[in-house]
Amino acid sequence: MTACISAFAVMSLRGDVLVSRDFLSDVPRTALETFYRFYTFWQQENANNVEFQDQPQAPPCFDVDGVHYFSVSKSGLIFVATSRSNASPSFVLEFLTRVSRAMADFLGTLNEESVRRNMVLVYELVDEMVDFGYPQLTSTEALKAYVLSQAKAPSQGSSGAASANGMSGRPGARGAGMPSGGPSQGAAALAAATGVSNTDGVGGAAAAAGGSGRDEIFVDVVEKISLTFNASGSLVASDIDGAIQVRSFLNGKPEIRLALNEDLSIGGRGGSPFANDYAYAAGRSPMVMLDDANFHEAVNLDHFERERILTLNHLPEGEFTLMNYRCSNTTMIRPPFQMSVSVSEASSYSVDLIVTLKGDFPGKLHATNVCVQIPVPKAVSKATARPIPLETIGGGGGGGGGGGAMQGLGALFGRRSAADVAEANLKSVVASTGQTTDYSDREKVVTWSFAKLPGDTEHRLLVRLSLSNNAQTNVRRECGPVNLTFTIPMYSTSKLGVRSLHVSRPSAGLGKPDAPAPYRWIRYLTKATSYVFRL
């Protein structure tokens, strides 16, 4: 059996090698130089390789001269592993991600300066996590028993904080997001943007990372959704994989009480420990239904069955998952996006696709990194795509709606008329949402992207397909399925929410002032892993 990892390194974005460990001595000494050259100049190095011509950036895994390179970028640092064996890419990438998390836990602030100032601690961590190329311990709690070095505080004025998108609120609010001010606002933004996770007592890093007065806890409700729709737009399959993740920077060892939806139900009626939920007793269906859930071993469930309260008497250190849950009930899910695609014949050798995308979530929220991918038939020789105003479709009204639609489409492609007015209004919408379109002739895919898409809005795209032969009858059958990817901050598809988050500490005693209330931040995040519309 061969070892998985030959060498490990941490590099800066400039190419400086900050940390390096060669476990098996079976890769060249110039391996890191080769990696950085391909990582930085991927397109130039693969100019003659047709397979990678459409990739502007290096993939997480690639091979050069028999050496496999794996990399993960975190907080301005590149975590690199090399191997000559047939190692599993997903295994190595997961290991690199866990290494970055462990370093963030012990250093407090994960950046180039903190790594340089804590070389002894970093190498001690690496030696405990990897033994002769085999990954060992990666959990912060397990490593704490073996890593005894203390983290050094970063120098005054060091930067690393970044703005945290999708978090808003006020300090100590029930179910609120990020506080708008306060002594630890910079530390909070750093933790949210870079994924720093730490607690008081892990290498002394809690004080080192945020300075004096840092007393806060982060709760993230993250959901990854997979939805499938049929040609009529009805939801036919759904799966929500959710997790409540906690990052604690609280002083001392307080008790944490986290309350979820009162109308939450887990499991079915028969045989479920939650079958006597008060919603069932009242003869009505609960608003939030989960198929199953599991909890961290430190969670006390004494008050959960009736009050839906999770209690932590001994808060685990570092970042940990408080609860995992899954939901697949299509009747209880409101999809955040709806889409429809209509096909019409423009001429003997061209077909028009009209794609309508509607954000079916609150208008005060915004989806980011929205990307619609539309596969087209192989017979397509050319594709032209552009956003169109909503007034363009159905302009004829009544029974002549189809003729009005075609007249509007003709105006967009050459015959300029009243469409100029609607298109002028469209420009501001396209600019504000950051809409872009692209067509890859090699992959036969039309891409429609939004940098920022507000909720409760509707957008349309016209795709004109030029066919190499008269094959309109097969267009609908060969098009699709349409795939959609997006991220929506502060939104929960399953409706699971945190009602309140309480931090309880023992009283300071008679005549002594109690410690100020800690900052409690709650964030919701919905990501699409598979969002498919069949045509």
Side-chain angles (χ1 to χ4, degrees):
M1 181 177 179
T2 57
C4 288
I5 299 174
S6 299
F8 168 82
V10 180
M11 305 177 67
S12 69
L13 295 179
R14 300 185 307 272
D16 299 334
V17 179
L18 307 179
V19 179
S20 178
R21 267 284 188 260
D22 190 352
F23 302 110
L24 304 180
S25 301
D26 61 348
V27 296
R29 294 192 175 186
T30 59
L32 293 179
E33 298 177 9
T34 302
F35 162 79
Y36 188 74
R37 186 176 72 251
F38 277 80
Y39 183 86
T40 309
F41 306 103
W42 178 255
Q43 277 193 321
Q44 293 86 330
E45 293 291 340
N46 293 276
N48 298 325
N49 194 333
V50 180
E51 182 180 356
F52 301 110
Q53 283 182 352
D54 292 340
Q55 293 188 9
Q57 297 179 345
C61 314
F62 58 87
D63 178 274
V64 178
D65 297 332
V67 179
H68 307 293
Y69 294 92
F70 309 88
S71 64
V72 170
S73 180
K74 297 286 185 181
S75 304
L77 300 174
I78 308 172
F79 293 79
V80 186
T82 63
S83 176
R84 281 194 177 274
S85 63
N86 189 20
S88 169
S90 59
F91 175 83
V92 180
L93 293 177
E94 175 66 18
F95 168 73
L96 293 177
T97 302
R98 295 194 181 190
V99 170
S100 66
R101 290 177 183 174
M103 287 188 181
D105 286 348
F106 279 87
L107 301 181
T109 304
L110 182 60
N111 54 32
E112 182 177 347
E113 181 190 358
S114 64
V115 173
R116 290 185 183 275
R117 292 177 63 87
N118 295 276
M119 283 295 184
V120 175
L121 174 58
V122 170
Y123 274 103
E124 192 173 350
L125 278 171
V126 174
D127 291 340
E128 292 294 340
M129 286 188 285
V130 188
D131 188 16
F132 292 102
Y134 292 97
Q136 305 293 322
L137 300 175
T138 57
S139 169
T140 301
E141 295 184 62
L143 288 168
K144 185 184 174 185
Y146 303 97
V147 179
L148 305 179
S149 299
Q150 298 293 317
K152 298 179 181 178
S155 60
Q156 294 293 330
S158 61
S159 62
S163 62
N165 297 326
M167 303 182 70
S168 59
R170 56 186 177 86
R174 294 178 58 188
M178 172 176 286
S180 58
S184 58
Q185 182 182 14
L190 172 65
T194 61
V196 174
S197 51
N198 208 328
T199 57
D200 183 31
V202 182
S212 60
R214 178 171 183 170
D215 190 19
E216 53 209 7
I217 183 171
F218 304 86
V219 177
D220 293 342
V221 181
V222 181
E223 293 186 347
K224 298 179 180 179
I225 63 176
S226 300
L227 306 182
T228 302
F229 301 81
N230 59 18
S232 63
S234 301
L235 182 63
V236 296
S238 65
D239 187 74
I240 299 178
D241 186 11
I244 300 179
Q245 300 173 347
V246 178
R247 298 192 300 270
S248 174
F249 298 85
L250 296 173
N251 298 326
K253 299 294 182 181
E255 179 186 84
I256 307 299
R257 292 171 63 88
L258 188 144
L260 302 179
N261 310 62
E262 290 182 342
D263 54 358
L264 170 65
S265 175
I266 302 179
R269 296 172 182 247
S272 169
F274 306 99
N276 294 324
D277 183 90
Y278 82 96
Y280 287 127
R284 59 183 176 87
S285 299
M287 292 297 295
V288 182
M289 294 185 64
L290 305 180
D291 293 346
D292 54 66
N294 59 75
F295 305 90
H296 191 277
E297 58 184 6
V299 175
N300 187 336
L301 298 175
D302 293 344
H303 301 281
F304 183 75
E305 185 171 350
R306 288 294 178 184
E307 303 177 35
R308 294 299 184 248
I309 295 178
L310 303 176
T311 306
L312 284 166
N313 298 319
H314 303 285
L315 193 65
E317 295 178 341
E319 180 179 359
F320 65 96
T321 300
L322 180 70
M323 171 183 173
N324 287 306
Y325 59 91
R326 189 175 63 87
C327 176
S328 61
N329 192 333
T330 57
T331 61
M332 302 297 294
I333 295 176
R334 181 178 178 179
F337 282 98
Q338 297 287 349
M339 180 183 294
S340 63
V341 180
S342 62
V343 182
S344 59
E345 180 180 345
S347 65
S348 300
Y349 292 92
S350 63
V351 173
D352 289 335
L353 303 180
I354 302 173
V355 184
T356 304
L357 179 66
K358 181 180 180 181
D360 198 10
F361 53 94
K364 63 181 179 180
L365 303 180
H366 291 79
T368 60
N369 301 323
V370 180
C371 181
V372 182
Q373 291 187 321
I374 311 167
V376 298
K378 296 180 179 179
V380 172
S381 59
K382 181 182 177 181
T384 305
R386 60 174 299 180
I388 59 175
L390 301 179
E391 295 83 357
T392 302
I393 308 302
M406 297 314 301
Q407 183 179 0
L409 299 182
L412 287 173
F413 286 97
R415 300 191 300 274
R416 311 292 292 180
S417 60
D420 293 339
V421 178
E423 195 158 334
N425 298 329
L426 177 66
K427 288 182 179 179
S428 61
V429 177
V430 172
S432 62
T433 57
Q435 294 188 45
T436 59
T437 58
D438 184 46
Y439 171 65
S440 174
D441 185 61
R442 186 173 67 88
E443 298 180 358
K444 300 296 182 182
V445 173
V446 176
T447 303
W448 184 22
S449 302
F450 297 78
K452 190 176 184 181
L453 194 152
D456 199 22
T457 58
E458 187 172 333
H459 304 269
R460 283 195 174 122
L461 179 75
L462 172 61
V463 182
R464 172 154 294 180
L465 305 178
S466 299
L467 306 176
S468 57
N469 54 66
N470 190 358
Q472 289 92 339
T473 56
N474 297 325
V475 169
R476 177 176 289 275
R477 186 178 61 186
E478 296 182 13
C479 278
V482 180
N483 185 56
L484 177 65
T485 58
F486 56 86
T487 301
I488 308 179
M490 301 307 296
Y491 181 78
S492 172
T493 306
S494 68
K495 302 179 185 178
L496 181 71
V498 178
R499 286 189 289 124
S500 61
L501 176 62
H502 295 282
V503 180
S504 302
R505 290 192 174 96
S507 175
L510 186 63
K512 297 182 180 180
D514 292 334
Y519 288 88
R520 296 160 290 169
W521 301 344
I522 300 173
R523 179 176 68 172
Y524 299 88
L525 192 66
T526 296
K527 299 179 180 179
T529 55
S530 176
Y531 207 94
V532 177
F533 294 86
R534 297 172 181 169
L535 303 183

